[in-house]
Amino acid sequence: MKLVVCLDENNGIRFFGKRQSQDELQRKNLFELIGNSKIFLTEYSYDLYKEIEFNFEIIDENIEIDEDSVFLYEGEFLDKFLPFVDEIIVYFWNRDYPFDETFDEFEQDCWKEKEVLEFKGKSHEKITRKIFVKENKDE
C-alpha cells in the first residue's frame, strides 16, 4: 500500500484540523503516478478530487483495507493503515506554513529514499515529491 502525504518544510501536515495547502498540479502528478489504483481518503479530502473520475473509497472506522491501493493521509486513520504501507509518497510544499501536527514516519530507519522529483505547481513555485520504500531488514 502507498501512503501519500503533503507537508511543509517542517513536516507540518495540519493546522487547527485543516490541511495547510493544496495544489491542482500536485493532484495531477499524483494521478499520473498511481494510475487507476484505488484511493482511500476522507470526505474532507474528497472535496479536492470530486471533479475527477477516479477509483476511491471514503474512509470510516469500519473500512476494509485493500493493500494494493493508496491512502491519502491528512492526519486521521494512520494507525489503521500504517501496518500495510510499504511506500510513502511525500509532496513537500517547500514553504513554511503554520502547523500544529507533523508527520515524520518516513524519517524512521526502516524507510529508504528511492526517488526525488521537483516540479512547478499551480499555486506553489516548487513542489518536491519524494518516494520512500520500506526496507526489509530480514534480507
Side-chain angles (χ1 to χ4, degrees), residues 5-16 18-24 26-27 74 91-103 121-128:
V5 62
C6 297
L7 304 174
D8 75 355
E9 296 219 331
N10 300 300
N11 296 343
I13 186 170
R14 295 197 320 176
F15 186 59
F16 286 117
K18 298 190 184 313
R19 77 179 61 84
Q20 295 173 314
S21 189
Q22 57 90 18
D23 189 283
E24 183 179 325
Q26 175 272 319
R27 293 190 297 278
E74 288 194 317
Y91 287 93
F92 289 98
W93 298 131
N94 297 310
R95 291 186 189 166
D96 289 323
Y97 287 114
F99 66 92
D100 55 17
E101 289 183 49
T102 60
F103 177 81
K122 186 170 184 176
S123 57
H124 294 79
E125 185 65 30
K126 180 175 82 168
I127 297 173
T128 303

Side-chain angles (χ1 to χ4, degrees), residues 32-75:
E32 289 170 358
L33 182 66
I34 66 168
N36 293 324
S37 297
K38 179 193 269 185
I39 300 178
F40 289 100
L41 71 169
T42 64
E43 277 192 62
Y44 176 67
S45 297
Y46 176 71
D47 286 344
L48 291 176
Y49 295 88
K50 64 185 176 189
E51 304 293 322
I52 305 166
E53 189 173 316
F54 67 101
N55 184 11
F56 73 94
E57 189 162 344
I58 301 292
I59 301 169
D60 66 23
E61 295 296 327
N62 301 314
I63 194 102
E64 289 193 29
I65 296 170
D66 176 354
E67 293 182 42
D68 293 326
S69 44
V70 177
F71 168 44
L72 182 62
Y73 178 62
E74 288 194 317

